[in-house]
Structures are given as C-alpha cells and as structure tokens.
Amino acid sequence: MKMLINVPESVVPDALRGMAAAHPELTVDVEHRVVVRRDAPVAGKVGLVSGGGSGHEPLHGGFVGYGMLDAACPGEVFTSPVPDQMVRAAAAVDSGRGVLFVVKNYTGDVLNFNMAAELAEDEGVQVASVLVNDDVAVTDSTFTAGRRGTGATLFVEKIAGAAAEEGAPLERVEALARRVNEASRSFGVALAACTTPAKGSPTFDLPAGELELGVGIHGEPGRERRAMMTSGEIADFAVDAVLTDLQPGGPVLLLVNGAGGTPLLELYGFTAEVHRVLGERGVPVARTLVGNYVTSLDMAGASVTLCRADEEILRLWDAPVQTPGLRWGR
C-alpha cells in the first residue's frame, strides 16, 4: 500500500510536528506526545483530558481548544498512550479546580488512565474519570471488556467541554459527561478494511462484495458479514440496532461519522437515508453533524451515533467551540 509517510516508526511524531506547524493556538510537545491548548491552564476552569491510539483523527488531538478538550495524549497507531503522558497533560491543564479524564472503553486506555489518575492525585491534582461505552454492536470484543467507546466520545467531549468553559465545577462536568454517555448509542459498518503503517496491508480480510456490520474502530469484528447492501438498507440496519437499545422518546443529536476512507458525497447520501429511517420511527433530529471525526485510518465505512437531547444538552452542543476539528459560534 502507498502511504504519505517517511517510515512507519515516525508517523506519530511527524504528524505532531505538522499539527504544531498548522495550529499555533496549540502547544504540541512532540517528545512527550501531549497536545495542550496554548492558554492552559485556564483560571477557574475544570480541565478536560482525553487520548487514545493515533489513527482516529481528528479524535483526540483535533478536539483540543476552546469549548472542548484542554489536552490530549496520542499513543502509537491503535495503541493506548502511557500514564506519563496523561499525568503530564493533567498537570499542564489543572487550574486548581480539578481535571476530568474522558476514556474510551478499550482495555489499554482504561488501565493507563486509571493508573494516571492515581499518579496525578499523588501530585495534588484532583481527577475524575468518565468511561465512554456507546457501541451497541457487540458486548465484548478485541481490546475491550464491555461495550466499545466510539462516536459518543465526540458528544461527551463537546458537551462536557462547553460546561467546563462556562465554569461548572468538576462534579457537575463529570455528571454531565456521564449523562451524555448514557444517553448515546452507536453502530458502525465497514466496507473495506483499514491499513496500518506498520503492517502495510489491510488489517483484516473483507472479501469484495461483502461488508462488516458492527465493526469496531480498530477493525474488531462486528455482528455479522453480509453481501453488500444499499445505503438505505445499511441505514435501516444501523438505526434499528441503535434504537433497539436507546429508545429516545424525544429529539436526538445525530452524528453520521465517516471511518476515514468514505467521501462526503457518500456520507451525505447516507445521512439522507438515516434521516428517512428516523422519520419513519417518529424520532425528531435536533442537530446533525456529518463528516470524518472518529476515524479508523483509511477504512471505508461509516457509523451512526444518536444522543437523547434535552434543552441543556442542546444549549451546550450549540455553545461556541474552536478546535482544529470542530468549530462554530466563535
């Protein structure tokens, strides 16, 4: 496979150097692999820190900035960052009001963020953690005990980030993040496997003419494989899987997320089908976000994430945000 890289070993630091060049509003520590908003720590504000394996961009480094994360810790491709990164990030963003760790439910992330929370507490930083586990496709999978954390991570980081920007205390930001996670569900579909720089070939075998329903963001197996389906058929299946578990009973936030290798032309067409299905089910859509936000390198495919949206969640979703990967209202 052809890739726009130097050597596999330098992919992450090379990308961080590029991020530093493109976004002077961020402080990018290439050596220690921590991305921090330049004005951190912000006085009187709870700090938000997240992170995970690289290859899911713009998650998480692309969501560092006003109204979202204060810092992010990128690991190697599809590999958890290490506790030292997280402790360094927590110290960089702590203004004395505490730090919230947003953790996707993957075993490495959970173990390392838990260890980092203990180490940060030893250094005098108050830390709370929220686990994101929104994927309804499977209960246990590769890298995961319980449900995987996927698209709802964006909802948690945006909404909790807006509350923190308003000066909410740590307990309130944590509770809101938990509420958003509990109100969110996701389901993903792969049309073609991704290729990691180290492997140089597809990470799993998906024959031509087939798709994987319920795939994970690292290529973990889903529920089943089927012959290729139309956009409308995929929307029917994905929305049914989400609504079977979510039962919204009111308006929702909708994220139609590209896996990295699917063009916007297809994603918008898929969005139309998702709206059709939700309309048939009597589920009003309050806001829709479409694009590549929680990716899997060059995987072709998409995911659907829904979040039950009350007035407070909508207000915080609409609040200004200014990050490399998400920005409006400022």
Side-chain angles (χ1 to χ4, degrees):
M1 296 290 291
K2 297 177 183 177
M3 292 186 174
L4 196 62
I5 65 173
N6 291 315
V7 294
E9 294 77 15
S10 71
V11 166
V12 175
D14 286 350
L16 290 174
R17 289 191 296 107
M19 175 174 272
H23 298 287
E25 71 275 18
L26 302 178
T27 298
V28 182
D29 185 337
V30 177
E31 179 183 358
H32 299 104
R33 301 192 183 186
V34 178
V35 180
V36 183
R37 55 187 282 184
R38 188 167 289 279
D39 59 350
V42 179
K45 179 185 176 302
V46 169
L48 262 69
V49 175
S50 192
S54 296
H56 304 303
E57 290 74 20
L59 192 80
H60 292 274
F63 296 147
V64 174
Y66 182 93
M68 265 184 108
L69 296 176
D70 293 273
C73 309
E76 288 294 331
V77 173
F78 291 179
T79 303
S80 172
V82 297
D84 284 353
Q85 291 172 261
M86 303 157 187
V87 173
R88 187 178 295 271
V93 305
D94 180 36
S95 70
R97 299 200 67 193
V99 173
L100 179 68
F101 284 168
V102 179
V103 187
K104 300 190 306 303
N105 189 30
Y106 295 95
T107 301
D109 289 359
V110 173
L111 292 174
N112 288 338
F113 269 104
N114 284 344
M115 186 180 300
E118 294 178 4
L119 294 171
E121 293 272 7
D122 289 344
E123 295 184 6
V125 179
Q126 182 184 3
V127 176
S129 296
V130 170
L131 189 69
V132 182
N133 57 351
D134 55 302
D135 187 358
V136 302
V138 293
T139 301
D140 296 301
S141 182
T142 313
F143 305 124
T144 310
R147 290 179 166 176
R148 302 173 295 213
T150 57
T153 312
L154 183 151
F155 288 154
V156 171
E157 292 176 356
K158 170 64 183 79
I159 293 164
E165 205 70 61
E166 292 179 349
L170 180 59
E171 296 78 10
R172 176 64 184 148
V173 177
E174 177 189 5
L176 186 60
R178 292 187 188 280
R179 180 154 65 90
V180 171
N181 176 65
E182 291 165 1
S184 301
R185 300 290 187 274
S186 297
F187 190 88
V189 178
L191 310 182
C194 63
T195 299
T196 62
K199 191 170 187 289
S201 60
T203 54
F204 61 94
D205 178 38
L206 186 57
E210 293 187 6
L211 52 75
E212 179 94 25
L213 294 166
V215 72
I217 59 173
H218 307 100
E220 305 98 324
R223 290 186 179 181
E224 61 178 292
R225 289 187 178 182
R226 287 190 183 181
M228 187 58 194
M229 301 156 65
T230 66
S231 175
E233 291 168 339
I234 296 170
D236 284 326
F237 193 101
V239 173
D240 181 69
V242 170
L243 291 183
T244 297
D245 199 280
L246 184 64
Q247 301 173 345
V252 296
L253 300 176
L254 166 63
L255 169 63
V256 175
N257 174 68
T262 299
L264 276 171
L265 181 69
E266 297 177 31
L267 291 177
Y268 278 120
F270 183 56
T271 300
E273 295 295 340
V274 172
H275 269 257
R276 171 188 60 78
V277 180
L278 290 170
E280 292 171 354
R281 300 294 187 87
V283 179
V285 179
R287 305 287 188 275
T288 301
L289 182 66
V290 182
N292 290 287
Y293 294 102
V294 184
T295 62
S296 185
L297 293 168
D298 59 343
M299 182 185 289
S303 61
V304 174
T305 303
L306 299 179
C307 176
R308 290 192 299 263
D310 57 23
E311 290 185 5
E312 181 180 32
I313 285 176
L314 284 177
R315 180 182 66 78
L316 293 169
W317 177 256
D318 290 339
V321 59
Q322 187 170 352
T323 71
L326 203 67
R327 59 177 63 209
W328 56 68
R330 193 168 189 250

